[in-house]
Amino acid sequence: MSTQILLTPYHKNLDLKNRVVMAPMTRSRAANDGNVPTEDLHVPYYVQRASAGLIITEGSQVSKQAVGYVNTAGIYSKEQVEGWKKVTKEVHDKGGKIFIQLWHVGRMSHPDFHNGELPLAPSAINPNAKSYTPEGFKDTVTPKAMSIEEIKQTVEDFKNAAKNAIEAGFDGVEIHSSNGYLFHQFFNGTSNTRTDEYGRTIENRARFFFEVLDAMTKVIPEQKIGARFNPSLNGMFGITMDEDTIPTFEYIIKKLNDYDLAYIHLSEPFTDVSDISYAVKNIAKHFRPLYNGTLMINAGFDQESGNKVIKEGNADLVAYGKPFISNPDLVERFANGYDLADWNEETFYTPGKEGYLDYPKYNEEKELA
């Protein structure tokens, strides 16, 4: 089993000990006034999973305006930077590598997070989704269409967050341009009806993303930046595909060949898109020929399919989400052919250690049994 390709090193821009990546997952454990990652929860959580080739943290908001889920750790304050420093130091001491995912949820937020003010978005269109607030899930509202000044400020927020990430000791950052959040809202024709330089055409709808990327490269090397996309997302997070959706992502991903990024991180469809003629059903296979750099794929992979997608040449790295929640030693389980433990969805977002730090490693599991 030790010869499986998932467990071989990968060196292009990343220098990883294996190709098993811990996917970014919201866990809502920063239950304090400053949304600061904590030494008693965040540090051991990530350290437990340091055998991954790469850890990508939970989405971390780049400003107060960017937040949209309760108790998520930010990366815009000094206190947050200091909290993340403890995480990165301990992960590095265990031989791990860790990127932070930079996040702005846009219209997927709620006025409860913004002193009653409306969340920001490309256009004033309600996603008709749910926002996870301190009082539980609430219906989203019609957001405020961003002014040019607000767009420029958000570019600066991402630039500052990237700078903070390096100060906090991260090996790099991932731009969360996926899953119906702010960048994805700009990309999508059903959420972006602007008529200025940020709307109407594919190039314009991608402009905001590239302005952020270019700004970040002024404070962090390109090789330390990744970006996540979900091209065939449909019927979730307020996103509906149209005929321009795939051409938009093809344009973006081809244009990213002009940069020397750490990777692009793509998701296979979250829902059945087989009845949508303009959707792509196999994301890795479709986009691999379009991109010359490192391609990471996720969504629904197990050990067998993870090895297969790399062996077939359609991806270089595979990101695992839920399996890493309940299997902190996922890499070791893959290496030894051990069974995987099941996760408990009821504790994904609850406060405290339960469902966060109490999943045992395989040998500990056997001892408990």
Side-chain angles (χ1 to χ4, degrees), residues 22 77 220 291 349:
M22 178 178 166
S77 73
I220 179 173
Y291 186 63
Y349 312 112

Short mmCIF file of all heavy atoms in Angstrom, two decimals, residues 22 77 220 291 349:
data_model
loop_
_atom_site.label_atom_id
_atom_site.label_comp_id
_atom_site.label_asym_id
_atom_site.label_seq_id
_atom_site.Cartn_x
_atom_site.Cartn_y
_atom_site.Cartn_z
N MET A 22 -5.74 18.20 3.34
CA MET A 22 -6.91 18.44 4.18
C MET A 22 -7.65 19.64 3.62
O MET A 22 -7.13 20.75 3.58
CB MET A 22 -6.49 18.70 5.62
CG MET A 22 -7.67 19.01 6.54
SD MET A 22 -7.14 19.24 8.25
CE MET A 22 -8.61 19.97 8.96
N SER A 77 -7.12 41.03 12.26
CA SER A 77 -6.70 41.76 13.46
C SER A 77 -5.38 41.21 14.00
O SER A 77 -4.99 40.08 13.69
CB SER A 77 -7.77 41.64 14.55
OG SER A 77 -7.79 40.34 15.12
N ILE A 220 3.03 38.93 -1.33
CA ILE A 220 3.28 37.51 -1.13
C ILE A 220 3.64 36.90 -2.49
O ILE A 220 3.05 37.27 -3.51
CB ILE A 220 2.02 36.82 -0.52
CG1 ILE A 220 2.22 35.33 -0.32
CG2 ILE A 220 0.79 37.08 -1.36
CD1 ILE A 220 1.04 34.67 0.43
N TYR A 291 -4.94 23.72 -17.92
CA TYR A 291 -4.10 24.35 -16.89
C TYR A 291 -2.75 23.65 -16.80
O TYR A 291 -2.68 22.42 -16.67
CB TYR A 291 -4.80 24.33 -15.54
CG TYR A 291 -4.06 25.09 -14.46
CD1 TYR A 291 -3.86 26.47 -14.59
CD2 TYR A 291 -3.55 24.45 -13.35
CE1 TYR A 291 -3.17 27.17 -13.62
CE2 TYR A 291 -2.86 25.15 -12.37
CZ TYR A 291 -2.67 26.51 -12.53
OH TYR A 291 -1.98 27.22 -11.56
N TYR A 349 -20.47 22.03 13.63
CA TYR A 349 -20.39 23.48 13.89
C TYR A 349 -20.68 23.85 15.34
O TYR A 349 -20.84 25.02 15.65
CB TYR A 349 -21.39 24.22 12.97
CG TYR A 349 -21.31 23.81 11.54
CD1 TYR A 349 -22.37 23.12 10.94
CD2 TYR A 349 -20.19 24.08 10.76
CE1 TYR A 349 -22.31 22.72 9.61
CE2 TYR A 349 -20.12 23.68 9.43
CZ TYR A 349 -21.18 22.99 8.87
OH TYR A 349 -21.10 22.61 7.56
#
